[in-house]
Amino acid sequence: MNIFQKKPLDALIAESREEGEHTLKKTLGPYKLIALGLGAIIGAGLFSITGLAAGNYAGPSITLSFLVAAAGCCFAAFCYAEFASMLPVAGSAYTYSYATLGEFIAWVIGWDLVLEYAVAAATVSISWSRYLVKLLEGSQVYLPVELTAGPWEGGIVNLPAAIIIIAMSLLLIRGTEGSSWVNAIIVVLKVAVVLTFIILGWQFIRSENYIPYIPENKGVWGEFGFSGIIRGAAIVFFAFIGFDAVSTAAQETKNPKRDMPIGIMGSLLICVGLYMLFAHVMTGVVNYTAFQGRDGIAPVAIAIDHMGTTLPDGSIQSAFPWLNKAIILAILAGYSSVIMVMLLGQSRVFYSMSRDGLLPSLFSKVHTKYKSPFKSNLTFMLIISVFALFVPATVAGELTSIGTLLAFIIVSIGILVMRKKMPDAPRVFKTPGVPFIPVLGIAICLFMMVFLPFDTWIRLILWMLVGHNIYVFYGSKRSKLGAKAKSNLLSWIGLSIASLLGVLVVSHQTQMGWEQLEIKSIAFLTVAVGHFILYFVRLQRNAGNR
């Protein structure tokens, strides 16, 4: 067998029906799944990334960015729903790829999903921290910036961001039944907040804030103009990953074949409408330039401050002085559920990869009382909290978006392969308009990926190189499927990834100017050259052993 060996459908279905001490507990129905999706979707985009994307890339046309992102999401969601009804197993796109594209592609997508969920949790935690600071400042309590912002944002460490990651991880360890009820309560609160913001804010929309609706491009690709709309779409795509996270909970769903499509499509469709209205009000109440800078990560607080009467001195007397604190409190609660769902998704992907032998067995160890993969939760509690302490929100958000887009592309390809290779496999839900819907999903997601910043691509390739190393030196040797690695093929792939990383770094630095050589460019080039040598030596060694 080779690294593209597929996991049999029968084995996956049998795995989903397993019961016993070392299996996940089935507690989720359709409404809890929709709430799970809303818990992840509502918050991350509306309350944080929307401001950054509007202020730096799209301006008032951020509503068009959401429309483009929603189109790509809807096409991908159809594909996710079909897979989830066929393969009700934890792991989401990782599991689907294992059944359709083989072990190596499954590893790639699984490793990518770790980036998506883990970095998403960190991004939201950073915004959570910023809203906490805003809330406390309203009560005349001022936390030192050294402890509430990372080193690239004027501080030293973002302590509140790490604390909320730790708290949500500990809650997850107690299992999905309790955490799903907490999530459902928070979701009701978040939807109420969104509707309140839209209804109250509508009367304070100033038409001049929409002029120009599409700000003129600044001469830099992706900064306003048409390219800014598409880059904005690629960045706010981060906001739609909730339905993706729903699919990771398939193995904890009572009737996954029926309920998973409902949870995926239902949560997505509800949020698309709310996003469009929310972004329209936000950029109508205050000029998009107010969302530039560090406070752009907390755009709702800025918008609420501008809901009122303009005084002769140019200041604004708030019409709802109570609203800011109330909404920020709800946002803090809402963000907590977003972080919880992202951490849930990440741990379930690692759970599946560990059960297949591609990762150490500790990641699939289930707590005897709570029936949760507690060791995986604890491991990533440490890793993500440290990440949140130091990394800027913009970098984390862009990394999440590119990881999500790549996952959606691979799932859409998987549906095309599945329909071709396994046309008679039982499907409770079918993606309509095949092959057109999956192809459109692939095209739109790839289009948005192209518009993401160059250095985001570099970080994605670097992450994939790290993942390739783990598969080469661990996963491929311990795969339970027995997909024995072809050393030369894996070495050639490693050589190609290292070369691509080097080319991207050199191209980016050339664009920036070599007279402004950055330390991170030197580090990335060192990694690329080191890995090129590593895999070249492996190829030579294998040739000498023949």
Side-chain angles (χ1 to χ4, degrees):
M1 293 188 284
N2 59 44
I3 60 173
F4 297 105
Q5 177 73 20
K6 300 176 182 64
K7 193 170 184 178
L9 280 180
D10 292 343
L12 285 167
I13 293 172
E15 189 177 307
S16 71
R17 295 171 179 167
E18 287 181 1
E19 295 182 1
E21 182 180 349
H22 301 291
T23 59
L24 300 174
K25 188 176 181 181
K26 298 181 184 297
T27 61
L28 304 176
Y31 298 112
K32 284 186 179 179
L33 288 172
I34 290 176
L36 195 67
L38 295 177
I41 299 174
I42 297 178
L46 283 183
F47 303 143
S48 60
I49 300 299
T50 305
L52 295 174
N56 299 301
Y57 304 114
S61 60
I62 188 64
T63 49
L64 298 180
S65 297
F66 272 119
L67 192 61
V68 173
C73 280
C74 285
F75 295 140
F78 282 124
C79 300
Y80 266 93
E82 178 172 331
F83 269 129
S85 69
M86 291 176 63
L87 305 171
V89 183
S92 183
Y94 161 76
T95 301
Y96 311 153
S97 300
Y98 215 153
T100 56
L101 303 173
E103 181 176 281
F104 179 72
I105 302 300
W107 169 266
V108 171
I109 192 64
W111 190 246
D112 173 64
L113 286 173
V114 173
L115 175 71
E116 174 186 340
Y117 293 133
V119 179
T123 306
V124 180
S125 72
I126 296 167
S127 185
W128 187 92
S129 172
R130 192 65 200 142
Y131 274 110
L132 177 66
V133 170
K134 285 280 186 183
L135 177 68
L136 294 176
E137 285 177 351
S139 301
Q140 307 302 311
V141 177
Y142 299 94
L143 298 178
V145 69
E146 292 83 4
L147 299 180
T148 58
W152 286 276
E153 296 179 312
I156 299 175
V157 293
N158 197 329
L159 198 56
I163 290 173
I164 190 61
I165 291 289
I166 293 170
M168 290 300 101
S169 297
L170 295 177
L171 178 61
L172 269 179
I173 288 173
R174 295 184 62 85
T176 56
E177 185 171 13
S179 58
S180 67
W181 277 111
V182 172
N183 178 66
I185 294 169
I186 293 175
V187 164
V188 172
L189 183 63
K190 284 199 292 189
V191 172
V193 166
V194 172
L195 292 175
T196 300
F197 180 85
I198 293 170
I199 293 169
L200 296 182
W202 200 275
Q203 60 187 302
F204 295 102
I205 290 176
R206 299 174 179 84
S207 58
E208 61 268 22
N209 287 330
Y210 295 128
I211 301 172
Y213 185 67
I214 303 178
E216 185 178 352
N217 182 266
K218 290 186 173 182
V220 178
W221 188 257
E223 292 188 11
F224 306 107
F226 172 76
S227 64
I229 292 173
I230 306 302
R231 176 168 287 183
I235 291 171
V236 299
F237 206 86
F238 165 88
F240 289 98
I241 64 177
F243 76 85
D244 177 14
V246 170
S247 65
T248 66
Q251 208 161 331
E252 294 157 274
T253 302
K254 296 175 183 177
N255 186 0
K257 291 185 176 181
R258 182 200 68 186
D259 297 343
M260 290 305 295
I262 295 174
I264 291 170
M265 299 304 299
S267 59
L268 177 62
L269 292 175
I270 290 171
C271 288
V272 169
L274 291 176
Y275 274 28
M276 299 285 291
L277 290 171
F278 191 96
H280 179 74
V281 171
M282 187 190 78
T283 52
V285 169
V286 58
N287 189 275
Y288 70 92
T289 55
F291 304 122
Q292 296 171 354
R294 190 162 69 97
D295 281 348
I297 195 66
V300 177
I302 296 173
I304 292 174
D305 286 341
H306 286 75
M307 291 181 187
T309 305
T310 304
L311 301 177
D313 61 357
S315 63
I316 295 176
Q317 183 178 1
S318 177
F320 311 107
W322 54 270
L323 183 60
N324 212 328
K325 286 185 180 180
I327 285 189
I328 290 177
L329 276 171
I331 289 173
L332 288 172
Y335 268 19
S336 300
S337 72
V338 175
I339 294 167
M340 183 179 68
V341 175
M342 294 299 101
L343 294 173
L344 170 77
Q346 181 282 316
S347 64
R348 271 46 176 183
V349 172
F350 255 46
Y351 171 84
S352 294
M353 296 174 79
S354 175
R355 289 193 58 164
D356 291 329
L358 303 182
L359 287 171
S361 60
L362 72 92
F363 293 111
S364 55
K365 295 292 184 183
V366 175
H367 197 285
T368 54
K369 179 180 179 180
Y370 300 122
K371 301 297 184 182
S372 63
F374 68 106
K375 290 188 177 180
S376 181
N377 289 131
L378 288 173
T379 301
F380 273 85
M381 178 185 76
L382 295 174
I383 294 172
I384 299 172
S385 60
V386 170
F387 189 81
L389 282 172
F390 302 106
V391 177
T394 50
V395 172
E398 289 164 0
L399 272 173
T400 304
S401 291
I402 200 167
T404 307
L405 288 163
L406 179 59
F408 288 3
I409 288 172
I410 294 179
V411 169
S412 298
I413 293 172
I415 285 294
L416 295 175
V417 173
M418 184 72 87
R419 289 292 184 92
K420 181 74 173 178
K421 300 290 186 180
M422 305 174 190
D424 300 323
R427 294 169 169 83
V428 177
F429 177 87
K430 285 189 175 182
T431 302
V434 175
F436 301 106
I437 292 296
V439 168
L440 282 172
I442 293 167
I444 292 175
C445 291
L446 185 59
F447 187 56
M448 285 189 280
M449 284 181 75
V450 170
F451 279 79
L452 281 167
F454 214 105
D455 55 352
T456 304
W457 278 90
I458 293 173
R459 293 184 181 98
L460 174 66
I461 300 302
L462 179 64
W463 178 257
M464 289 304 170
L465 185 58
V466 172
H468 186 72
N469 292 339
I470 296 173
Y471 181 75
V472 169
F473 297 106
Y474 184 91
S476 64
K477 301 179 186 300
R478 292 169 174 80
S479 168
K480 290 184 179 179
L481 192 62
K484 301 303 180 185
K486 291 183 177 180
S487 296
N488 277 354
L489 178 56
L490 286 175
S491 293
W492 278 112
I493 293 172
L495 205 65
S496 300
I497 298 173
S499 300
L500 179 58
L501 176 62
V503 169
L504 288 177
V505 172
V506 170
S507 299
H508 178 61
Q509 192 59 54
T510 301
Q511 187 181 53
M512 298 289 293
W514 286 95
E515 66 279 0
Q516 300 178 0
L517 184 61
E518 299 178 334
I519 295 177
K520 64 180 180 181
S521 294
I522 298 173
F524 291 154
L525 276 175
T526 302
V527 171
V529 171
H531 280 82
F532 186 93
I533 294 171
L534 170 67
Y535 287 109
F536 182 78
V537 170
R538 288 189 92 233
L539 283 171
Q540 295 302 310
R541 186 181 300 160
N542 289 337
N545 291 335
R546 289 180 179 178

